[in-house]
């Protein structure tokens, strides 16, 4: 029994020792600091450069999100029903206007051309014979060796032969045009973004086979609320940003779709961007829409000291002492000033605390 009591006492003492060690390591036995007094350094005198919090007027903007699209995007389709023999491009291929993209089976079309050519040759022969007969009857008519009726019949036969020849010439042009459809050419220069046909497939008339867009004429299409869009005009300059490419660009309003979406109450604005190889159709983009001006309170950016995620400034009091104060900042301006959202008022003096 005595041994059990001793063992229990040792266990209790060990637990107490462990708890005391944890409390000591966590600083429980040290004197506490009043957090309310931490930012204030009332005994420290102001030194170094000073600056005054002041109002600054800057343009107010509204960011709207949109998508990069090409101003020229083309869907390639077949004009005839035929089997695909060859597809010479893939998604991502660069093409020039007039390049052969797809070759279709043209055997039936070529046979039709050959057939019409033979018919045309036969009609030319008939037309020559009819002309000879007409000329002969004209001479005989002057000599009184043939009747007027016979002469008129030869003239009519010659006109019929000419008409038949003209018809077959048009049929030949039609057959040759159909034959040309067997080679599908690029109507514009650009980049192939989608291939929807493979060799051996049957191309149907009007069915999309390829999609091409011109990467040199990209623009941002953004929905803008109607109350703001009505003040914009074609030709206005707007700033755009493409985060994926980490680039900003000056754009020009290319088109304003004159139709407001009934649900969203927005108009579609199309902003043309300068050519850039890093811009790809489909990328996310943001456009800055000016909405007037606004006044913001600013101080030099080097007066703000960052401690973790907190921001402090040293405010110079009326007595010349420094008071450490917590502030909230916004966007930096272009002249090394930063917007102060809270923590300061106009005309308060701050001290420059960080290096340029």
């Amino acid at each position: 029994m005595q041994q059990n009591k001793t063992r229990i006492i040792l266990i209790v003492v060990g637990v107490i020792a462990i708890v005391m060690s944890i409390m000591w390591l966590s600083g429980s036995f040290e004197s506490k600091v009043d957090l309310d007094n931490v930012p204030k350094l009332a005994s420290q005198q102001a030194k170094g450069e000073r600056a005054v919090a002041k109002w600054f007027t800057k343009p107010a903007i509204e960011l709207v999100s949109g998508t990069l699209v090409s101003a020229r995007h083309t869907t390639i389709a077949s004009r005839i029903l035929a089997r695909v023999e060859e597809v010479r491009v893939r998604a991502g291929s660069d093409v020039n206007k007039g390049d052969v993209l797809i070759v279709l089976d043209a055997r039936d079309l070529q046979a039709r051309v050959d057939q019409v050519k033979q018919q045309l040759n036969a009609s030319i022969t008939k037309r020559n014979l009819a002309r000879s007969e007409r000329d002969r009857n004209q001479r005989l008519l002057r000599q009184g060796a043939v009747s007027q009726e016979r002469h008129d019949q030869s003239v009519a036969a010659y006109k019929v032969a000419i008409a038949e020849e003209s018809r077959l010439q048009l049929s030949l042009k039609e057959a040759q045009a159909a034959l040309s459809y067997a080679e599908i050419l690029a109507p514009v220069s650009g980049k192939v973004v989608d291939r929807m046909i493979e060799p051996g497939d049957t191309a149907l008339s009007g069915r999309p086979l390829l999609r091409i867009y011109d990467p040199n004429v990209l623009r941002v299409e953004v929905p803008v609320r109607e109350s703001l869009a009505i003040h914009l005009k074609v030709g206005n300059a707007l700033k755009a940003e493409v985060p994926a490419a980490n680039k900003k660009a000056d754009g020009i309003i290319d088109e304003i779709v004159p139709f407001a979406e009934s649900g969203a109450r927005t108009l579609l604005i199309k902003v043309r961007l300068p050519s850039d190889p890093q811009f790809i159709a489909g990328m996310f983009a943001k456009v800055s829409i000016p909405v007037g001006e606004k006044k913001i309170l600013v101080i030099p950016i080097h007066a703000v000291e960052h401690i973790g995620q907190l921001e402090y400034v040293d405010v110079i009091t009326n007595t010349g002492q420094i008071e450490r104060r917590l502030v909230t900042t916004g966007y930096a301006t272009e002249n090394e000033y930063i917007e102060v959202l809270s923590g300061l008022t106009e005309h308060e003096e701050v001290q420059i605390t960080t290096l340029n």
Side-chain angles (χ1 to χ4, degrees):
M1 179 66 69
Q2 185 66 29
Q3 291 180 349
N4 292 336
K5 290 182 179 180
T6 302
R7 187 179 298 108
I8 293 173
I9 292 173
L10 291 175
I11 293 174
V12 172
V13 171
V15 171
I16 293 174
I18 292 174
V19 172
M20 295 294 287
S21 299
I22 293 175
M23 293 177 65
W24 177 75
L25 291 173
S26 63
S28 299
F29 298 109
E30 298 178 1
S31 59
K32 299 296 186 294
V33 178
D34 187 358
L35 295 179
D36 295 334
N37 295 326
V38 170
K40 300 180 181 180
L41 302 177
S43 61
Q44 184 177 352
Q45 297 298 316
K47 298 179 182 179
E49 297 183 12
R50 301 180 181 183
V52 178
K54 58 184 179 180
W55 290 107
F56 175 77
T57 302
K58 74 167 189 176
I61 62 171
E62 181 174 317
L63 290 177
V64 290
S65 302
T67 305
L68 280 180
V69 298
S70 177
R72 290 199 296 266
H73 45 85
T74 306
T75 299
I76 308 299
S78 174
R79 300 183 65 174
I80 59 174
L81 173 66
R83 187 172 61 87
V84 177
E85 292 283 346
E86 184 180 359
V87 182
R88 297 185 179 180
V89 294
R90 292 193 173 275
S93 299
D94 294 318
V95 298
N96 296 317
K97 183 178 181 180
D99 288 350
V100 178
L101 305 178
I102 300 174
V103 178
L104 304 177
D105 184 1
R107 289 174 295 179
D108 293 344
L109 300 174
Q110 184 63 55
R112 173 60 180 166
V113 170
D114 295 340
Q115 181 183 10
V116 175
K117 282 182 177 180
Q118 292 176 0
Q119 293 174 350
L120 179 60
N121 292 334
S123 71
I124 293 174
T125 301
K126 290 181 180 180
R127 184 254 299 164
N128 292 334
L129 290 174
R131 182 176 57 186
S132 298
E133 181 68 15
R134 182 204 62 179
D135 294 344
R136 187 176 69 87
N137 286 332
Q138 283 179 348
R139 291 193 301 270
L140 293 175
L141 180 62
R142 287 193 295 268
Q143 298 172 2
V146 70
S147 65
Q148 182 66 42
E149 181 181 2
R150 179 61 179 170
H151 172 265
D152 293 343
Q153 289 176 349
S154 64
V155 171
Y158 176 64
K159 292 181 178 180
V160 170
I162 292 177
E164 179 66 12
E165 181 184 353
S166 298
R167 184 186 69 82
L168 290 173
Q169 286 177 344
L170 294 176
S171 295
L172 178 60
K173 290 181 179 179
E174 181 182 0
Q176 289 173 336
L179 179 61
S180 68
Y181 299 154
E183 284 190 345
I184 301 178
L185 309 180
V188 295
S189 299
K191 185 182 291 291
V192 178
V193 294
D194 201 1
R195 167 173 160 168
M196 297 164 283
I197 199 76
E198 296 296 333
D201 293 344
T202 299
L204 303 177
S205 178
R207 172 190 172 188
L209 306 178
L210 298 171
R211 287 193 176 92
I212 299 176
Y213 82 94
D214 189 347
N216 296 318
V217 286
L218 292 180
R219 60 190 182 186
V220 186
E221 294 188 354
V222 291
V224 180
R225 56 187 174 89
E226 55 188 17
S227 59
L228 183 59
I230 59 175
H231 300 294
L232 300 176
K233 296 181 180 179
V234 173
N236 288 161
L238 298 176
K239 294 187 178 297
E241 180 182 359
V242 183
N246 194 24
K247 285 193 173 184
K248 297 181 179 180
D250 294 326
I252 302 294
I253 296 180
D254 204 24
E255 182 181 344
I256 299 177
V257 178
F259 177 78
E261 291 291 340
S262 57
R265 298 299 177 189
T266 59
L267 273 73
L268 186 63
I269 308 296
K270 301 179 181 181
V271 182
R272 186 176 69 253
L273 299 182
S275 178
D276 192 307
Q278 294 188 7
F279 291 167
I280 300 175
M283 279 185 170
F284 169 76
K286 296 185 290 185
V287 176
S288 301
I289 309 294
V291 292
E293 294 183 341
K294 70 175 183 178
K295 293 178 64 176
I296 59 174
L297 189 67
V298 297
I299 59 174
I301 195 170
H302 300 294
V304 181
E305 183 179 356
H306 296 269
I307 302 178
Q309 296 182 348
L310 303 180
E311 297 171 313
Y312 292 95
V313 295
D314 289 338
V315 181
I316 301 171
T317 65
N318 295 331
T319 60
Q321 295 178 326
I322 293 179
E323 177 184 292
R324 176 61 62 91
R325 190 179 298 175
L326 180 68
V327 295
T328 304
T329 62
Y331 291 102
T333 64
E334 297 178 354
N335 52 358
E336 294 191 346
Y337 276 77
I338 191 168
E339 178 184 8
V340 179
L341 301 177
S342 65
L344 283 178
T345 59
E346 186 184 9
H347 301 312
E348 284 192 299
E349 276 192 313
V350 296
Q351 182 169 276
I352 307 300
T353 59
T354 60
L355 299 177
N356 294 337

